[in-house]
Amino acid sequence: MTTSGPPAQIDPAAKGNPLLEEAGRRRTFAIISHPDAGKTTITEKLLLYGQALNEAGSVQGRQKRKATTSDWMDLEQRRGISVSSTVLRFEHAGTVINLLDTPGHSDFSEDTLRVMSAVDSAVILIDAAKGIEAQTLRLFEVARSRGIPLITFINKCDRPGIEPLELLDHIESTLDLLPTALTWPVGEPGDLKGIVDLREKNFHEFERSAPGGLAVASETIIDLESAPDGEAAWNTATEELSLLEAAGHEFDPGAVAEGISTPVLFGSALTNFGVELLLDTVIELAPPPSPRIDITDTPRPLESEFSGLVFKVQANMDPRHRDRNAFIRICSGKFDRGMKVVNARTGRPLTLNYASGTFGRQRETIEEAYPGDIVGVVGAADLQVGDTVFQGQELRYPPLPTLAPEQFIRVRNADARKHKQFTRALDQLAEEGVIHVLTQDGGRDPMPILGGVGRLQFEVATERMETEFNVQVKVDETDWKLARRTDEESAQEMREGRLAELRTRSDGVVFALFTSQFQHDRLVRDKPHLTLDHMV
Ligand code: G4P
């Protein structure tokens, strides 16, 4: 078994243009999964096969290993959840992989949505024993809404799980995506014999004794012709495969590129089985960066002057000193450290000096980067989520989508002397997109409403207000159940007719708040001309 994998296919038209060649060998993707499906494990294993982790890593305890790939905040560690996204970058067989982590919990779907704006494809990771779990469906829907290619990896095939045909049916019915198997497991769930690579027509034998730690497992690959026959497991797999063939679920790269079909691979991250095939599939099927559409609907060619999109801002990642990291997805041109760019929102110039790539907690300084890469700019006080930075002719990318809040609390400052810290903390959290801060007429409101899609967002917000800004807050529950984005004209009518409660978000977007779905539906029915949008 080789560990080099196939090199990324570079578009022949890019040959001879160094920037397009560099962009062409980038694969920028995220892994989306339910907590516990094995995202941390597979991330480690992808790094291992990408040879970004050496075997010395295997002596670390699991907790420590976990810390290398995520878990920046105490809260994450205490709750065992991943709140903040990490960007990992490594090179494999001439391909530069940018792997963006996403929080597993659906309460942080908005973070996932932002990450989706920065990637060109995503891997959906599913636990073979659980299928797509209700709480995670939302995360997958968010990924699907972007229309980017999705590759599915069914993990934990080394132990009892749902029958593979059933899993495919399940993916098709819940995600409305046509699954096409690229590999197929042989053996009863829990008694895996190996997987058939349906395209290479060979069989990868599963070795239960394979090292589960951080060592590359070499898989025994047998030609399908000489694979053992007669065994019950083989008979079942052959039957299943002929059923699949009859159903016409054939692999169609065009349908994958359009985001209507998902290739499916089976494996086991813990035992390093099928991971290399996944990495090879990402390199082969995940697309390289393509021109991004700007606010005037014009695609920005990759080779034009530098432009980037801020998709994430994270403050105070390092508790030892206050900092503010803005993560920029490079959309066009070459990035050189120290370059001067303009922030399209403010029109102000800024110098991208302290740019870093991230490997878990460790940062390394990045001197240059290309479309598809992510750079973390340290200390960028001027940058907010959704900002466009550019060189040359003025340019702006469309604002990042957000989800309408569904949960609301009211916060009060418990200590009047800390008024400044209270407002600074709220401004900071709003700029990072941690929560929506909704106030009366957008002004300074002593009791603003915080909106989000999940309660954990509030926990993160109040915890950070206390630990980073030293403000104690009092939290009150509210009766609001849903919010819809509206415009000034509709807001005026609703205000005058007392049809809904109006609040303004820190970026000026106006929301109508409702105490029940019924109240909202009745208003939509009675006043269909009002603007009430779900995506905001
Ligand atoms: P997450 O980041 O998605 O939350 O999942 P994580 O990788 O932490 O994996 C969750 C649990 O599932 C871990 O077990 C991990 O070892 C296990 N796991 C991951 N991939 C596989 C697989 O392919 N097969 C099997 N059988 N298990 C797998 P744990 O008991 O929670 O942690 P630990 O005791 O292993 O540290």
Side-chain angles (χ1 to χ4, degrees):
M1 181 91 188
T2 66
T3 52
S4 56
Q9 294 295 317
I10 307 267
D11 183 353
K15 290 256 159 67
N17 180 327
L19 187 123
L20 290 180
E21 282 188 14
E22 283 295 342
R25 65 190 194 99
R26 258 89 185 147
R27 297 291 181 274
T28 303
F29 70 102
I31 300 177
I32 302 169
S33 73
H34 189 272
D36 254 14
K39 183 148 54 81
T40 312
T41 313
I42 203 146
T43 302
E44 282 172 359
K45 300 305 168 77
L46 285 172
L47 290 175
L48 174 71
Y49 280 92
Q51 290 170 349
L53 272 190
N54 56 33
E55 291 196 24
S58 63
V59 296
Q60 294 178 338
R62 178 166 180 83
Q63 284 315 315
K64 189 146 176 234
R65 279 191 273 132
K66 273 200 166 188
T68 62
T69 48
S70 108
D71 293 1
W72 273 314
M73 299 163 68
D74 287 350
L75 178 71
E76 292 179 86
Q77 274 154 11
R78 278 207 317 274
R79 299 285 304 244
I81 51 166
S82 171
V83 175
S84 42
S85 304
T86 322
V87 186
L88 297 165
R89 173 189 158 114
F90 60 95
E91 213 169 312
H92 177 64
T95 305
V96 178
I97 308 275
N98 291 307
L99 171 52
L100 279 66
D101 191 13
T102 56
H105 203 289
S106 60
D107 277 11
F108 302 110
S109 301
E110 285 214 279
D111 200 15
T112 302
L113 186 62
R114 285 190 284 266
V115 172
M116 287 298 109
S117 310
V119 295
D120 302 309
S121 59
V123 169
I124 287 186
L125 183 72
I126 296 174
D127 183 332
K130 300 199 172 134
I132 296 166
E133 291 160 81
Q135 312 96 293
T136 337
L137 184 57
R138 173 149 214 184
L139 294 176
F140 294 136
E141 282 170 350
V142 158
R144 177 132 170 61
S145 68
R146 274 268 288 137
I148 53 176
L150 302 173
I151 295 169
T152 304
F153 187 80
I154 312 270
N155 191 31
K156 306 198 186 182
C157 289
D158 57 302
R159 60 181 207 188
I162 305 170
E163 296 288 343
L165 277 175
E166 210 180 306
L167 276 169
L168 293 199
D169 271 351
H170 177 62
I171 293 170
E172 188 167 1
S173 57
T174 36
L175 291 187
D176 193 23
L177 263 175
L178 186 68
T180 50
L182 297 188
T183 63
W184 198 255
V186 179
E188 294 282 304
D191 183 20
L192 185 70
K193 308 281 184 218
I195 49 171
V196 177
D197 181 336
L198 295 169
R199 291 192 301 162
E200 294 297 323
K201 305 259 179 285
N202 56 30
F203 178 64
H204 294 227
E205 210 168 3
F206 176 65
E207 288 171 55
R208 186 157 285 280
S209 58
L214 287 169
V216 174
S218 61
E219 291 173 11
T220 310
I221 302 178
I222 311 168
D223 198 349
L224 258 198
E225 307 293 300
S226 48
D229 59 6
E231 281 184 28
W234 270 99
N235 291 339
T236 312
T238 315
E239 261 172 49
E240 287 168 340
L241 287 172
S242 50
L243 279 174
L244 268 191
E245 211 174 295
H249 285 202
E250 265 163 42
F251 173 61
D252 171 5
V256 175
E258 283 172 43
I260 50 182
S261 168
T262 178
V264 180
L265 295 109
F266 293 82
S268 157
L270 188 67
T271 59
N272 299 353
F273 188 64
V275 176
E276 193 174 8
L277 267 175
L278 173 66
L279 187 56
D280 292 347
T281 305
V282 167
I283 290 174
E284 186 194 338
L285 295 181
S290 56
R292 197 176 192 95
I293 311 288
D294 73 12
I295 206 158
T296 66
D297 251 355
T298 314
R300 167 92 161 179
L302 296 175
E303 66 274 32
S304 46
E305 283 178 287
F306 173 83
S307 70
L309 177 71
V310 179
F311 67 97
K312 179 175 176 64
V313 169
Q314 174 94 51
N316 310 328
M317 269 159 59
D318 185 343
R320 284 165 305 176
H321 54 87
R322 285 190 170 243
D323 61 359
R324 184 179 157 103
N325 229 6
F327 290 88
I328 301 177
R329 148 86 195 215
I330 300 176
C331 303
S332 68
K334 182 176 172 224
F335 166 88
D336 287 302
R337 191 163 74 90
M339 76 193 303
K340 285 197 167 45
V341 296
V342 176
N343 180 349
R345 179 177 50 83
T346 60
R348 281 205 288 269
L350 81 151
T351 307
L352 304 181
N353 251 338
Y354 302 100
S356 65
T358 318
F359 184 92
R361 243 171 224 274
Q362 292 160 12
R363 291 179 190 153
E364 54 186 48
T365 305
I366 283 193
E367 294 296 335
E368 52 179 50
Y370 295 90
D373 286 340
I374 310 294
V375 288
V377 180
V378 185
D382 197 29
L383 292 176
Q384 290 184 11
V385 165
D387 279 353
T388 302
V389 288
F390 66 92
Q391 271 195 336
Q393 219 184 342
E394 189 171 352
L395 164 93
R396 206 159 178 176
Y397 292 115
L400 296 185
T402 58
L403 299 169
E406 293 164 18
Q407 310 263 351
F408 305 87
I409 56 168
R410 206 187 287 276
V411 285
R412 280 181 290 140
N413 181 7
D415 179 352
R417 290 167 304 175
K418 297 264 176 70
H419 176 68
K420 256 199 200 135
Q421 288 94 319
F422 179 72
T423 33
R424 189 145 30 92
L426 287 173
D427 287 348
Q428 173 67 47
L429 295 172
E431 281 171 19
E432 284 182 42
V434 175
I435 26 117
H436 302 258
V437 179
L438 309 174
T439 56
Q440 298 263 20
D441 305 322
R444 293 286 175 218
D445 185 339
M447 286 196 285
I449 293 171
L450 304 190
V453 293
R455 303 292 299 187
L456 279 174
Q457 276 179 277
F458 301 146
E459 264 191 56
V460 171
T462 49
E463 165 114 0
R464 286 189 55 186
M465 287 177 88
E466 281 171 23
T467 54
E468 291 168 27
F469 296 89
N470 200 19
V471 271
Q472 299 289 328
V473 290
K474 289 219 157 58
V475 172
D476 298 314
E477 294 301 321
T478 73
D479 291 335
W480 313 119
K481 294 285 184 296
L482 75 156
R484 292 290 179 263
R485 182 191 179 132
T486 186
D487 55 26
E488 238 345 291
E489 206 178 314
S490 298
Q492 192 58 23
E493 186 176 339
M494 285 185 271
R495 216 176 269 125
E496 282 167 6
R498 293 177 178 269
L499 304 172
E501 188 78 17
L502 281 307
R503 286 290 184 281
T504 307
R505 195 170 62 182
S506 21
D507 60 356
V509 170
V510 183
F511 285 94
L513 304 184
F514 300 93
T515 49
S516 67
Q517 185 73 44
F518 175 76
Q519 186 202 2
H520 164 268
D521 293 352
R522 196 179 51 191
L523 186 61
V524 170
R525 193 191 58 218
D526 295 347
K527 311 248 176 209
H529 59 280
L530 292 174
T531 303
L532 293 165
D533 289 337
H534 184 259
M535 282 297 251
V536 289

